[in-house]
């Protein structure tokens, strides 16, 4: 069984092209997911972190929406260009990326720090 | 922004029909996801709990795979018939459903109890 220290879900939901909310697929969700998976692989942290696509996370206006568990930190308007910072700062570093954070996340209780990723010691 | 007390991801990944591992879609992932969403709605707990489909959770042999966050409890071989128990016992009750639990989840550190869902007081 996997034990992921962080599990990152990227919305790739598709709505009809004329839907007023838009959708994460149209806004690049699949590209973000694919690039995130690739970058996690390149950094050799795929055993510690998994990226998955998810169905609609109900934040279509804020798409591309990404949620990081177990801390349930919600990010919006994420692009491929944001991923290195998201990985370095949050996924590895454990610190929230303030500029991408969606507003109103009372469950975080103001917390912005969740602990660095623990990596195996290479001898 | 949503603040979900539990966020349940159901694998609906599809592999080619002749793939030796099979896949969660073939094993009923979409039916499980749809029924779970419907049941959460019927119980009036959609503000507290969200069900989403997820891409491959890499447990194809154990499909239909379901993972409950924030506690990261992994369940396998989940069917529509299991959902009432999964909702009553874990999603609402906060207790792990032992008979559906996938083996080897060291991150749980033996913990089986994660707290009941907090529901708004209806006056």
């Amino acid at each position: 069984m996997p034990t992921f220290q962080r599990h990152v879900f990227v919305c790739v939901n598709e709505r009809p092209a004329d839907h007023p909310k838009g959708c994460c697929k149209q806004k690049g969700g699949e590209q973000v997911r694919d690039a995130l998976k690739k970058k996690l692989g390149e950094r050799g942290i795929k055993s510690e972190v998994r990226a998955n696509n998810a169905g609609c996370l109900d934040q279509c206006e804020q798409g591309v929406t990404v949620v990081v568990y177990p801390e349930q930190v919600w990010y919006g308007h994420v692009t491929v260009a944001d991923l290195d910072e998201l990985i370095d700062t949050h996924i590895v570093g454990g610190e929230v990326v303030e500029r991408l954070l969606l507003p109103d996340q009372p469950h975080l209780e103001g917390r912005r720090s969740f602990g660095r990723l623990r990596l195996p010691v290479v001898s």
Side-chain angles (χ1 to χ4, degrees), chain A:
Chain A
M1 275 307 307
T3 289
F4 299 125
Q5 291 175 48
R6 297 206 154 94
H7 201 159
V8 185
F9 293 90
V10 181
C11 182
V12 298
N13 190 54
E14 183 170 21
R15 290 183 186 273
D18 58 352
H19 194 287
K21 285 186 172 181
C23 66
C24 286
K25 184 168 178 185
Q26 180 195 57
K27 294 170 188 170
E30 290 180 342
Q31 289 83 347
V32 168
R33 176 206 57 198
D34 290 346
L36 181 56
K37 281 177 176 279
K38 186 164 175 279
K39 285 173 185 288
L40 296 177
E42 286 166 356
R43 289 171 188 240
I45 55 172
K46 286 186 90 164
S47 298
E48 289 78 20
V49 181
R50 188 169 180 90
N52 270 113
N53 55 287
C56 183
L57 295 170
D58 208 18
Q59 297 298 313
C60 315
E61 305 92 327
Q62 317 263 27
V64 174
T65 305
V66 171
V67 57
V68 181
Y69 276 100
E71 46 264 54
Q72 193 181 158
V73 172
W74 294 85
Y75 292 111
H77 308 287
V78 178
T79 69
V80 171
D82 297 318
L83 291 177
D84 284 324
E85 182 182 358
L86 192 65
I87 295 171
D88 289 336
T89 305
H90 186 155
I91 293 173
V92 174
E95 303 292 325
V96 160
V97 180
E98 202 75 37
R99 69 175 187 85
L100 297 172
L101 201 61
L102 287 173
D104 300 329
Q105 301 196 43
H107 54 282
L108 300 181
E109 299 174 334
R111 205 171 158 197
R112 294 290 182 269
S113 197
F114 295 92
R116 282 189 73 80
L117 201 70
R118 300 179 305 282
L119 297 171
V121 177
V122 181
S123 57

